[in-house]
Amino acid sequence: METVLDTNILPTGKPKWLRVKLPTGKKYTELRGLVDKYKLNTICTSGSCPNMGECWGEGTATFMILGNVCTRSCGFCGVKTGRPETVDWDEPEKVARSIKLMNIKHAVITSVDRDDIKDGGSIIWKETVKAIRRMNPETTLETLIPDFQGMERNIDRIVEANPEVVSHNMETVRRLTREVRIQAKYDRSLAVLKYLKDQGIRRTKSGIMLGLGETEEEVIQTMKDLREANVDIVTIGQYLQPSKKHLPVKEFITPEQFAKYEAIGKELGFRHVESGALVRSSYHAQKHIL
């Protein structure tokens, strides 16, 4: 009996459209040297982002603040869960110096969830934006924030810092939220995004992962919910399992399906839609300020 091979599937079991090119280029090589020399902490390197070469080549990088231990235990995330270390009050200056050393044009700042402290980390968030503004006045900023448990006084610190873009990820559809994000709530995330826009944030943004068992109808409904919250930008990418302990991939979404979601997103009125297998939250982030 003849064996029929699916030419779209790699030996690893992943489809060919998930094949990642090794990062190259003069700008990438320069930045990689700086990161290694000064031990700079970027999500790009620690998260082995597939778009690192492209983003660095365009002068964009992502930095994580408030440590590398999260108080939440999301089923999709590779960040360690546990009791975080004490807050490093020198961190805002360290991040600002890293951005200056790397000559970053557009920086994305993100963090773990810090439900262990009263302000949720929002004070460090505000001080980090202020330090970057002071040391890098030409650098534009996106803050990819946690939900701060929906506490407006903590979200207000982000509003006061006034970055060009504020992002908060839905991650998945309503039905799967409890399984995927465990301590998070679908409606609370929507409320955070709406509140940011209502308070005058110029560009708001959110992202979802596909391949966790959601239906097309559910994805479209999530996009509609985001538009109702006046979100400007949406990113849609393929979920990939960080380890065997994490939620399994239920489906690899085809490029054609990603293109369909992009078209639907544009019809719904999003200002920017990034939809593709290798799309991550900060993909093409520098374009989202326009």
Side-chain angles (χ1 to χ4, degrees):
M1 183 178 176
E2 185 181 12
T3 302
V4 179
L5 298 176
D6 187 340
T7 56
N8 284 320
I9 300 296
L10 294 171
T12 57
K14 293 179 182 177
K16 284 187 176 180
W17 57 80
L18 282 172
R19 181 179 284 166
V20 179
K21 294 180 181 177
L22 290 173
T24 57
K26 184 181 176 184
K27 180 73 172 175
Y28 167 79
T29 305
E30 287 174 0
L31 289 183
R32 185 78 217 207
L34 284 170
V35 166
D36 293 343
K37 181 178 178 180
Y38 294 102
K39 296 181 172 57
L40 307 180
N41 181 28
T42 73
I43 282 291
C44 317
T45 49
S46 61
S48 302
C49 180
N51 308 308
M52 181 165 53
E54 182 181 352
C55 291
W56 282 13
E58 293 173 345
T60 301
T62 300
F63 300 83
M64 187 165 79
I65 61 174
L66 290 161
N68 58 5
V69 178
C70 188
T71 54
R72 299 190 186 181
S73 51
C74 296
F76 69 91
C77 184
V79 174
K80 188 164 44 173
T81 300
R83 187 186 179 96
E85 294 180 8
T86 56
V87 171
D88 178 5
W89 292 100
D90 292 329
E91 188 168 47
E93 296 295 325
K94 291 176 184 176
V95 173
R97 278 198 300 272
S98 296
I99 288 169
K100 190 171 185 66
L101 279 168
M102 294 174 72
N103 193 27
I104 295 298
K105 297 175 186 174
H106 182 74
V108 180
I109 312 299
T110 188
S111 80
V112 292
D113 281 279
R114 291 300 301 261
D115 297 330
D116 59 315
I117 46 182
K118 189 178 289 187
D119 74 299
S122 59
I123 294 173
I124 282 284
W125 266 103
K126 184 177 178 180
E127 292 303 313
T128 300
V129 173
K130 284 168 63 178
I132 294 167
R133 293 265 195 245
R134 188 169 58 249
M135 208 176 294
N136 307 273
E138 301 301 314
T139 299
T140 53
L141 287 170
E142 174 184 329
T143 53
L144 173 53
I145 64 170
D147 63 17
F148 295 117
Q149 295 183 316
M151 295 181 183
E152 291 179 359
R153 66 179 179 274
N154 293 334
I155 301 168
D156 285 341
R157 292 191 177 100
I158 306 297
V159 174
E160 289 162 13
N162 196 28
E164 280 77 10
V165 179
V166 181
S167 181
H168 173 64
N169 285 342
M170 298 298 294
E171 307 294 6
T172 190
V173 300
R174 181 185 293 276
R175 177 176 57 86
L176 298 176
T177 294
R178 183 174 291 183
E179 179 185 6
V180 173
R181 298 175 71 202
I182 302 172
Q183 294 102 319
K185 296 176 181 176
Y186 185 90
D187 288 314
R188 184 166 70 190
S189 286
L190 283 176
V192 167
L193 288 160
K194 186 177 187 305
Y195 182 78
L196 288 164
K197 197 68 175 176
D198 289 347
Q199 297 308 303
I201 291 297
R202 184 165 163 264
R203 295 275 182 273
T204 55
K205 174 178 171 182
S206 192
I208 56 176
M209 306 169 294
L210 305 185
L212 286 158
E214 69 290 324
T215 66
E216 179 181 293
E217 184 180 9
E218 288 175 318
V219 175
I220 295 169
Q221 184 58 55
T222 301
M223 286 195 281
K224 288 179 178 177
D225 291 342
L226 288 170
R227 280 303 299 137
E228 285 182 17
N230 292 320
V231 171
D232 301 291
I233 304 146
V234 65
T235 62
I236 307 171
Q238 171 72 51
Y239 167 67
L240 296 174
Q241 188 180 29
S243 77
K244 291 182 180 179
K245 295 178 182 178
H246 292 84
L247 292 169
V249 176
K250 298 280 183 69
E251 180 185 7
F252 289 112
I253 310 303
T254 65
E256 292 77 18
Q257 187 65 38
F258 276 115
K260 183 176 181 179
Y261 288 135
E262 181 175 359
I264 291 169
K266 288 177 178 176
E267 286 175 11
L268 289 172
F270 286 103
R271 193 176 189 92
H272 294 281
V273 183
E274 303 290 347
S275 181
L278 297 176
V279 166
R280 298 296 177 262
S281 296
S282 56
Y283 188 59
H284 287 166
Q286 75 284 357
K287 296 180 180 178
H288 299 159
I289 61 173
L290 303 175

